[in-house]
Amino acid sequence: MKKPLLNAVFGLVVALVAALAFVNAGTAGGTSTARNKLTLIAPAAPGGGWDGFAREGQQALKSGGVVNNAQVVNVPGAGGTIGLSQFVQMPGREDALLATGGVMVGAIELGDNPESMVDVVPIARLADDYAALVVPADSKFKTLDDFLAAWKQNPGGTSIGGGSLGSIDHLLSAMVAKTVGIDPRDVNYIAYSGGGEALTSLLSHTTSAGMSGYNEVSDQIEAGTLRALAISSDERLEGVDVPTFKEQGVDAAMSNWRGFVATPGITGEAKAELIRIVGEMRSSDHWQEALKRNNWTDTFTTGEEFEQYINNEVATAQQIVKDLGL
């Protein structure tokens, strides 16, 4: 069997599995209300970032008595866009939320996905974490200035390892490059499917530096295995002794934000009720503990402010993908 046919078969199987997951989640959904039974769609495999986010939400909803029943359904693939594609085919469902965030925004733009953020109803942004530029502890780069000097001199020979193409790691690397005068198309970005592979590559000096979620490498930083040169937050984070790009003269910031959206076509009353539900979840003891446990920054935002934030994120991703020539 030739590779194109294999890819087509695989894509069909993924689509069928995703569709079945939604059908199962929607059993008796026509008579369900969000307060009775709320389905949280995690557009990622179990154990991934969105899965963890959705399951923390599930526990917060249950322990806080916000809803009678909450379940998580996983629909993995393609940076969350398979889950998005299936989700928009459920118009008017008022008892389901899709976990989303910055990774999905990048995946949509890079993959030229037919569905996008305009096809869903924004409910709430809940939590952010940030990416850090890191090097091995024995690297010759002691500061961000050291790294930037070498990067400007030889972009192709100063590689950066990180997550998949279109990820926050990838987009941020391009943003920083453009800000300091490097053509983003010249960036030697090496994408890895998992954090373990990226870390191994970095520690073996296969890559010069790594761009990774701070939470994913904080243990190595604290242990002295890695050195963090900069973090992508707008301001220095409480309890994190890493300077931002901005405070070091590089006007670049980007967050790996996470939130929930609803299906297209829901009523205004249903949207308001879902915002209330997520707001109550956010106020629960479990969620507040989850923020601390996961080192997430509380960025709770709803309404027009959240909608405008998404619009800005999409515009930024579109510009970076264009700069990358992808």
Side-chain angles (χ1 to χ4, degrees), residues 42 69 89 104 126 131 146 156 163 175 180 190 200-201 206 212-213 224 254 256 269 300 313 318 322:
N69 185 21
Q89 295 175 36
M104 185 179 291
L126 280 154
D146 291 342
M175 175 187 283
V180 300
I190 301 176
T200 298
S201 174
T206 302
S212 175
M254 184 175 289
N256 183 17
E269 292 80 1
F300 184 67
E313 288 288 288
Q318 288 174 339
K322 181 179 179 181

Side-chain angles (χ1 to χ4, degrees), residues 102-107 109-110 163-178 184 189 211 252-255 313-314 316-324 326:
V103 173
M104 185 179 291
V105 171
E109 298 307 323
L110 194 65
S164 60
L165 296 179
S167 65
I168 298 299
D169 305 340
H170 186 203
L171 298 185
L172 178 62
S173 297
M175 175 187 283
V176 173
K178 183 178 181 180
Y189 182 83
M211 194 73 79
M254 184 175 289
S255 69
E313 288 288 288
V314 170
T316 297
Q318 288 174 339
Q319 183 60 54
I320 293 175
V321 170
K322 181 179 179 181
D323 291 340
L324 286 165
L326 299 173

Side-chain angles (χ1 to χ4, degrees), residues 122-160:
I123 296 300
R125 172 186 174 198
L126 280 154
D128 289 25
D129 56 29
Y130 302 92
L133 178 67
V134 296
V135 295
D138 61 354
S139 171
K140 64 181 180 181
F141 305 128
K142 306 300 181 186
T143 66
L144 178 61
D145 285 341
D146 291 342
F147 175 79
L148 294 179
W151 202 23
K152 291 177 184 178
Q153 184 176 3
N154 185 10
T158 311
S159 57
I160 298 178

Side-chain angles (χ1 to χ4, degrees), residues 185-197:
R185 290 172 293 185
D186 293 336
V187 173
N188 183 7
Y189 182 83
I190 301 176
Y192 293 94
S193 59
E197 293 179 47

